[in-house]
Amino acid sequence: MEGMDEIRDTFFQEAEELLGELERGLILIQEGDRDSETVNAIFRAVHSIKGGAGMFELDRLVSFAHAFETVLDDLRSRKIGLEANGLKTMLRSADLLSDLVRTARAGEEMEAGREAVLMAELAALSGGVADAAPSAFDAPELPAGPVSRLYDIRFTPLAALYANAGDPALLVRELHRLGTATVSCDASHVPDLSELDPEGAYLSWTVALETTESEDTIREVFEFVEGDCILEVIAGEPMVVEEPAVVEEGDGFDVAALLARMQAELGDGPAPEATPSPFDMPFAPDFSADFSNVVDLADMRPVETPAPSPAPAVEPVAAPVLAASPAKTEESKASSAPAPAAGATIRVDLDRLDRLVNLVGELVINRAMVAQRVVEAGLSNTAAVSVGLDELEQLTREIQDNVMALRAQPVRSVFQRMSRLVREVGEAVNKQVQLVVEGEGTEVDKTIVERLTDPLTHMIRNAIDHGLESPEKRLEAGKPLTGTVHLSARHASGHIVIEVSDDGGGLNRPRVRDIAVSKGLIPADAQLSDEETDNLIFLPGFSTASTISNISGRGVGLDVVKRSVQALGGRISIASRPGRGSTFTLALPLTLAVLDGMLVTVADQTLVLPLTSTVETLKLKPEEIHALGSSKLVTLRGAFTPMIDVGRHFGYRHAPADLTKSVGLVVETQGNTRTVLLVDEIQGQRQVVIKSLETNYGSVPGIAAATILGDGRVALILDVDALVSEASASASDFSFAIAG
Amino acid sequence: MTKTILTVDDSRTMRDMLRVALTGAGFNVVQAEDGVHGLEVLAQNSPDVIITDINMPRMDGFGFIENVRRDQRCRVIPILVLTTESDAAKKARAREAGATGWIVKPFNTTKLCDAIRRVAG
C-alpha cells in the first residue's frame, strides 16, 4: 500500500497517545475509579494498538497486546474482578507495552522472552491460557483443485439476509468468478401482491457451477450469509472436458414483466401505505450477460412511494436514494469532509511551522527597522506613520504570540511518563510513593516539552531516593507511610514554572555544608544563608547519597540537571523545609525562538547576554580589583570572583577597559559559578529573536547565536557558559569563589 | 460510477490506512471517528458501503449498525465490520447486529476490495 511510511508514523504517534490514555486509565482505577467507561477506554487503547500493530506485522507487539486485551476484555465484561495484584500486573504490562511500541518504532528488537513472565501473569488473571493471537495475515488461499467438478448449489435466502443488506445477486456473481455457472431462479413462491410481504424472502436459486475450486471455496462465498440462508452444495464427479457451458437465462422469470404487473396492480389497487417502506425484495435479475444491469436493478430496491404511472415499468420508479447520479457523486464529494466537530485538528509538518516561526521573526525585526528609520527621519511620535507603526507593532506581536502558540504543546506527554518512573523507582528503593500531578495541560514550546524529560526524571528520582524517608522513619515522624511527590506546571509571567516537591525530610543542611566543605567546594568558613546552602547541591561533584544506589547513582549529579535547564534558558532552584520536604522549582521560557536579553555595549559593538544568566550589575571601584597573574579578580562581598574583560577577550581592543567608565555584570554559570563580565555600557533589556549563527555563518566559541537589531545591525548573543570556561581555562581555577 | 465508502473508526492509524487503501482502489472515501459521528456523516452522505469498527467511544459499532438499520433511508446500505478476531461468536454477533459482512484485521487492499465487492458489487 502506498503512503505506508506516513501511516506508520501516524500509528506510532497514536500509539503514544493511547499508551498515555492507558496509563491515565490505570492510574484512575488505582485511585479507586470503578467507572465502566474507564475500563472500556483502556481496553480500546490496547485494542487499537493491537489493531494498528497488526497492519505493520509487528507480531510481538500484537501477541502481547492480545494477551493484555484478553484480560481487559474479561474485566470489562466482569468475568474477572480486580485485585491489587492484578492491577500491578496491568501497570507493568502497560509499561512493557510501551517498551514494545518504542523498540518497534526505533526498528529494534527487544530481547527475547521479556514478555514471558507477564504473559503468564496475564493468562493467570484471565483464568486460562491466553489464546493465540491472530496471525499477521490470513493463511494463503487453498490451492485450486486440479480437476474440474460440477457442483449443484441450492441457495435460499432468508429474510434476515435482506435485512442485513445482503444481496443474492452479488453472491451469484461471486460464483460466476469461480467458474462457469448456470443459474436459475425459482420465483414460484412469490405470492400475489396483496399478500406479498415487502420484506419477505420468496426466491431461491439453483446454480450449476463448473469449477476447479474446492467446495470450501464455494462455501466461503456464502460466509457472510451463513445462517441467513439455506445452502446446499453438492459436489459432482470430476468432469471430463466439456464444451463451455452456456449461461442460460433465469427460468423465464421476467423482471420487467413483474414490475409492470406490480405497477399495474398498484395503479388499480389501494394507495400504497403512507410509510415509504422500501421494497426490499430482490428481483431475480437477468444474469445472462450484462451485469451492470443487475447492479442498476439492485440499486432500485429502496423505492420511495412508487408513483402509480403507466409503462414503461422500469423507468418511473422515483429517484432511488442509492442510485447515485453524477450530480449526487459531486455532492457527496463536496460534503465528504466530516462535519467540523469541536476540537477539530489538522496535522502540519513541523518544518513548515518552523519556517513560519522564522518568518514571523523576520517580520518583527523588519518592523523594528522601519520604526528606526522613521525616528531617524525626524518624524514626530504623533505623525500618522508613527501611529500606523504602533498598530503594526501590536499586530506583529499578536501574530508572534499566536505563531508561538502553534508550537506549544501541553506538558502532559512528559508528565505521564513520570508515573511509571515513580512506580519503578519506588519499587527499587522500597518506598511507597504516590505521584500527584497538577497542570499537565499547561502548554509550552514543543522543543522544551521534549527536553523536559531528562531534568524531570532526575528531579523525581532524587525526590524519591533522597527526599522521601524510609517507611520506618516516616512512621516514626508520624507521617503517612506512603510518601507523596507533587509534580505541577503553571504559567507565570511569561515563563512556565514546573515544581517537583516531596513530603520527605527536607535537606539536611549541616550535612550538605559538611560535604561541600569536605569536597572543597566551599571554604570551611564560608558564610551561607539557608537558601545558599540548599543550592549547594547543584554544584558539580556534589552527591549526598552515601551509598550509591542504582537509581540515582548514574554518575549524573544535579549539576547536570541545572546545566540542561540553563541550556533551555531556564533556571532551577530548591527550597527546603527541615522535616517537611523539598521543592525543586524550574522556570523555563515559553519558547526558544525569542530570548530575553540584556543589551550591552563593548567597544562600540552591541552584544546580548541572556537575561537568565545575569544576576546583578555593579559599578566597580579600583580598590576591589586584584591582579592574579594575567587575570583579574573582583572582591564581591568578601569573595574573590574572576573577572573577564569582554572587549579584550573577543579582541575588540587591546588596551584594558577603563574601569571608571565600565560596568560589571555578574553572571552565573554552571554550578552556580559567578563571574564578573566587564562591559562599557548597559543599553537595557529587550526581547530578541534568535538567529542561528551556525546555519548562517559558522560556530564561534563564546557566541551562542545572533540577532538583528532595530537599526538592521547584527548583534551577537554571548554564550556565557562557554565564555567563562574558556577564560578560566587560560587562567587558574577559582572554584572557591562560588560562595558569592 | 465511483462508489462512496463511509469508514467509521476511532483509530487515526486505521482511518489513514482505510483512506489510503480505498482511495488507491478508486473509491470515494468519507470518514467518521465513532458511531455518533458516523450517523452525522451519514446524514449528509449517501455511501454505497459502510465499513465500521466495533470498539469505539461514544457509540460502538453495534450501536451504530442498529441505528443505521433503523433508518429507512440507510437500512439497505451494506455494512462491513472490522474485527481483529476471526472466531465464529464475534462474527455471529456482528451479523445479529445487522452487519452484512466483515473484514478481519489486519487487512490489505485486496482483502478490503474483495469484501466490498462481495457486498456491493
Side-chain angles (χ1 to χ4, degrees):
Chain A
M1 251 184 260
E2 278 173 46
M4 279 297 266
D5 285 350
E6 221 172 277
I7 300 180
R8 200 182 149 94
D9 286 348
T10 308
F11 164 65
F12 284 115
Q13 266 177 28
E14 187 176 22
E16 286 295 334
E17 286 162 30
L18 291 167
L19 287 168
E21 274 169 38
L22 171 63
E23 175 95 40
R24 207 160 41 238
L26 287 171
I27 301 267
L28 280 174
I29 292 175
Q30 190 177 31
E31 285 165 1
D33 185 317
R34 289 292 176 269
D35 186 351
S36 62
E37 188 38 46
T38 310
V39 182
N40 278 334
I42 62 177
F43 169 80
R44 276 198 307 271
V46 177
H47 184 75
S48 287
I49 291 175
K50 179 179 103 169
M55 304 301 301
F56 300 100
E57 298 175 56
L58 304 168
D59 294 346
R60 281 181 77 179
L61 188 49
V62 172
S63 25
F64 185 73
H66 181 72
F68 195 1
E69 176 201 70
T70 309
V71 174
L72 292 170
D73 198 17
D74 286 352
L75 189 66
R76 79 179 178 149
S77 56
R78 299 187 190 280
K79 267 192 222 160
I80 57 166
L82 190 57
E83 291 147 37
N85 272 349
L87 191 61
K88 263 197 183 144
T89 303
M90 284 183 208
L91 283 163
R92 280 169 46 224
S93 300
D95 293 346
L96 183 63
L97 192 66
S98 87
D99 287 348
L100 279 163
V101 168
R102 267 158 219 156
T103 47
R105 183 176 208 167
E108 292 159 5
E109 191 68 36
M110 192 185 277
E111 66 259 50
R114 251 195 75 185
E115 308 98 311
V117 176
L118 274 171
M119 291 275 256
E121 280 181 38
L122 286 170
L125 277 181
S126 63
V129 186
D131 49 329
S135 62
F137 279 92
D138 276 359
E141 302 268 300
L142 287 169
V147 281
S148 187
R149 278 171 195 268
L150 186 66
Y151 290 91
D152 186 15
I153 303 160
R154 291 193 192 144
F155 168 53
T156 310
L158 302 177
L161 184 146
Y162 302 119
N164 281 2
D167 188 343
L170 294 173
L171 296 167
V172 172
R173 194 182 61 175
E174 283 300 304
L175 290 177
H176 269 286
R177 296 170 64 97
L178 299 178
T180 329
T182 312
V183 185
S184 61
C185 177
D186 176 7
S188 60
H189 292 97
V190 179
D192 284 344
L193 193 58
S194 56
E195 283 159 31
L196 185 131
D197 173 2
E199 310 224 331
Y202 302 106
L203 301 175
S204 61
W205 280 264
T206 310
V207 181
L209 177 68
E210 186 195 331
T211 178
T212 50
E213 303 285 341
S214 69
E215 186 178 329
D216 285 348
T217 312
I218 294 171
R219 286 189 178 273
E220 242 170 54
V221 168
F222 296 91
E223 184 196 5
F224 288 168
V225 294
E226 204 188 322
D228 291 345
C229 66
I230 300 162
L231 178 69
E232 262 183 287
V233 180
I234 301 157
E237 290 304 308
M239 285 176 54
V240 203
V241 185
E242 256 189 39
E243 62 191 271
V246 180
V247 183
E248 283 173 18
E249 289 233 341
D251 208 23
F253 184 84
D254 190 332
V255 180
L258 176 70
L259 276 172
R261 197 178 105 206
M262 284 168 61
Q263 290 296 339
E265 287 189 24
L266 280 169
D268 298 341
E273 284 177 45
T275 45
S277 160
F279 282 87
D280 203 358
M281 194 196 88
F283 306 117
D286 179 358
F287 288 115
S288 55
D290 185 5
F291 234 93
S292 63
N293 190 25
V294 175
V295 177
D296 287 346
L297 285 170
D299 280 349
M300 277 164 44
R301 278 182 291 134
V303 180
E304 298 228 28
T305 328
S309 72
V314 185
E315 287 290 319
V317 180
V321 176
L322 275 187
S325 61
K328 192 112 187 170
T329 314
E330 281 302 310
E331 182 193 305
S332 61
K333 253 187 204 155
S335 57
S336 67
T345 55
I346 173 171
R347 265 179 292 156
V348 178
D349 192 24
L350 202 57
D351 282 347
R352 286 195 193 182
L353 216 55
D354 288 346
R355 235 173 297 151
L356 184 62
V357 171
N358 262 326
L359 281 174
V360 173
E362 303 280 352
L363 180 66
V364 170
I365 291 164
N366 227 290
R367 193 217 59 87
M369 281 165 66
V370 174
Q372 185 98 9
R373 299 275 179 283
V374 169
V375 173
E376 281 166 12
L379 292 170
S380 86
N381 282 346
T382 50
V385 65
S386 303
V387 176
L389 270 173
D390 283 349
E391 279 165 16
L392 185 63
E393 179 176 11
Q394 198 72 35
L395 265 176
T396 38
R397 200 172 293 265
E398 261 176 53
I399 293 175
Q400 195 178 17
D401 288 350
N402 278 289
V403 168
M404 295 304 177
L406 291 182
R407 280 188 56 95
Q409 282 197 326
V411 293
R412 181 175 294 117
S413 57
V414 179
F415 276 25
Q416 266 167 5
R417 273 182 231 170
M418 296 304 140
S419 47
R420 172 180 182 179
L421 180 79
V422 167
R423 259 194 322 273
E424 287 179 350
V425 176
E427 263 170 42
V429 299
N430 269 324
K431 290 177 186 172
Q432 290 184 23
V433 195
Q434 60 163 338
L435 178 71
V436 179
V437 175
E438 259 176 85
E440 64 262 52
T442 313
E443 292 190 337
V444 69
D445 188 276
K446 182 177 160 59
T447 316
I448 295 180
V449 173
E450 283 161 3
R451 297 206 208 153
L452 268 178
T453 313
D454 284 351
L456 276 189
T457 304
H458 213 85
M459 278 151 61
I460 286 183
R461 271 201 192 120
N462 196 82
I464 299 172
D465 200 13
H466 305 310
L468 295 178
E469 313 90 328
S470 64
E472 303 82 50
K473 278 196 186 152
R474 286 189 70 87
L475 282 182
E476 263 174 47
K479 291 183 181 182
L481 198 64
T482 303
T484 303
V485 174
H486 271 270
L487 175 60
S488 72
R490 64 175 200 279
H491 280 151
S493 57
H495 283 78
I496 179 172
V497 176
I498 294 173
E499 284 185 352
V500 176
S501 60
D502 61 70
D503 65 347
L507 284 178
N508 183 343
R509 289 198 183 112
R511 239 189 99 220
V512 167
R513 196 195 152 88
D514 287 352
I515 290 171
V517 171
S518 73
K519 298 206 168 166
L521 300 172
I522 52 166
D525 59 349
Q527 296 290 314
L528 299 181
S529 66
D530 284 351
E531 195 192 337
E532 284 166 338
T533 311
D534 289 349
N535 283 289
L536 286 173
I537 62 168
F538 291 113
L539 290 183
F542 187 97
S543 172
T544 51
S546 37
T547 53
I548 291 183
S549 65
N550 58 353
I551 297 305
S552 27
R554 295 200 177 180
V556 200
L558 284 168
D559 58 313
V560 177
V561 176
K562 178 155 189 171
R563 210 175 313 149
S564 59
V565 170
Q566 277 175 337
L568 287 171
R571 286 165 168 281
I572 186 171
S573 62
I574 183 171
S576 177
R577 283 184 299 171
R580 306 276 297 275
S582 315
T583 302
F584 283 98
T585 306
L586 241 165
L588 291 162
L590 293 177
T591 164
L592 294 177
V594 177
L595 174 90
D596 278 319
M598 173 80 92
L599 268 64
V600 299
T601 311
V602 176
D604 295 331
Q605 298 287 325
T606 301
L607 296 176
V608 183
L609 279 107
L611 207 56
T612 46
S613 55
T614 316
V615 181
E616 60 180 311
T617 61
L618 41 96
K619 208 67 187 149
L620 296 163
K621 295 182 193 117
E623 63 268 23
E624 289 171 349
I625 316 281
H626 311 273
L628 185 74
S630 63
S631 54
K632 294 225 166 65
L633 299 177
V634 184
T635 346
L636 200 60
R637 289 183 208 100
F640 289 117
T641 310
M643 186 178 84
I644 299 169
D645 181 344
V646 179
R648 275 186 83 185
H649 180 84
F650 284 117
Y652 287 142
R653 61 169 171 243
H654 293 292
D658 182 352
L659 283 178
T660 54
K661 289 180 182 163
S662 298
V663 184
L665 272 169
V666 182
V667 292
E668 196 176 61
T669 51
Q670 290 170 27
N672 284 14
T673 315
R674 291 193 175 183
T675 307
V676 176
L677 299 185
L678 207 58
V679 302
D680 297 351
E681 200 188 344
I682 290 174
Q683 294 181 18
Q685 295 177 9
R686 196 174 304 168
Q687 267 205 346
V688 297
V689 178
I690 300 172
K691 294 270 152 200
S692 166
L693 203 57
E694 272 156 58
T695 46
N696 296 313
Y697 173 69
S699 172
V700 179
I703 305 293
T707 188
I708 300 171
L709 300 173
D711 58 7
R713 289 200 305 164
V714 173
L716 299 176
I717 301 171
L718 298 188
D719 181 345
V720 176
D721 275 355
L723 175 66
V724 169
S725 60
E726 207 182 306
S728 66
S730 56
S732 28
D733 190 9
F734 293 105
S735 59
F736 62 86
I738 49 89
Chain B
M1 185 186 83
T2 313
K3 283 198 162 48
T4 299
I5 318 279
L6 165 64
T7 72
V8 188
D9 200 312
D10 60 325
S11 156
R12 209 158 64 221
T13 312
M14 222 37 93
R15 281 201 303 276
D16 280 2
M17 199 73 109
L18 288 165
R19 182 175 42 74
V20 169
L22 293 172
T23 342
F27 292 106
N28 201 359
V29 182
V30 189
Q31 301 199 296
E33 299 177 6
D34 57 41
V36 176
H37 190 201
L39 292 176
E40 284 165 16
V41 174
L42 196 54
Q44 294 167 15
N45 292 275
S46 305
D48 300 286
V49 177
I50 298 171
I51 300 178
T52 180
D53 189 24
I54 289 300
N55 293 296
M56 294 184 289
R58 297 213 290 172
M59 183 194 288
D60 70 5
F62 296 125
F64 173 67
I65 297 172
E66 270 168 36
N67 273 288
V68 175
R69 290 282 177 253
R70 269 206 296 269
D71 182 337
Q72 291 295 342
R73 189 178 70 95
C74 305
R75 55 188 303 204
V76 291
I77 303 176
I79 303 178
L80 290 166
V81 163
L82 281 170
T83 167
T84 45
E85 327 304 326
S86 40
D87 65 280
K90 289 256 163 62
K91 287 174 180 170
R93 184 157 172 216
R95 209 168 41 220
E96 256 165 53
T100 315
W102 48 82
I103 300 163
V104 179
K105 289 189 270 190
F107 53 79
N108 52 31
T109 312
T110 323
K111 228 160 121 177
L112 208 54
C113 294
D114 274 353
I116 292 171
R117 190 195 65 231
R118 287 168 65 178
V119 296

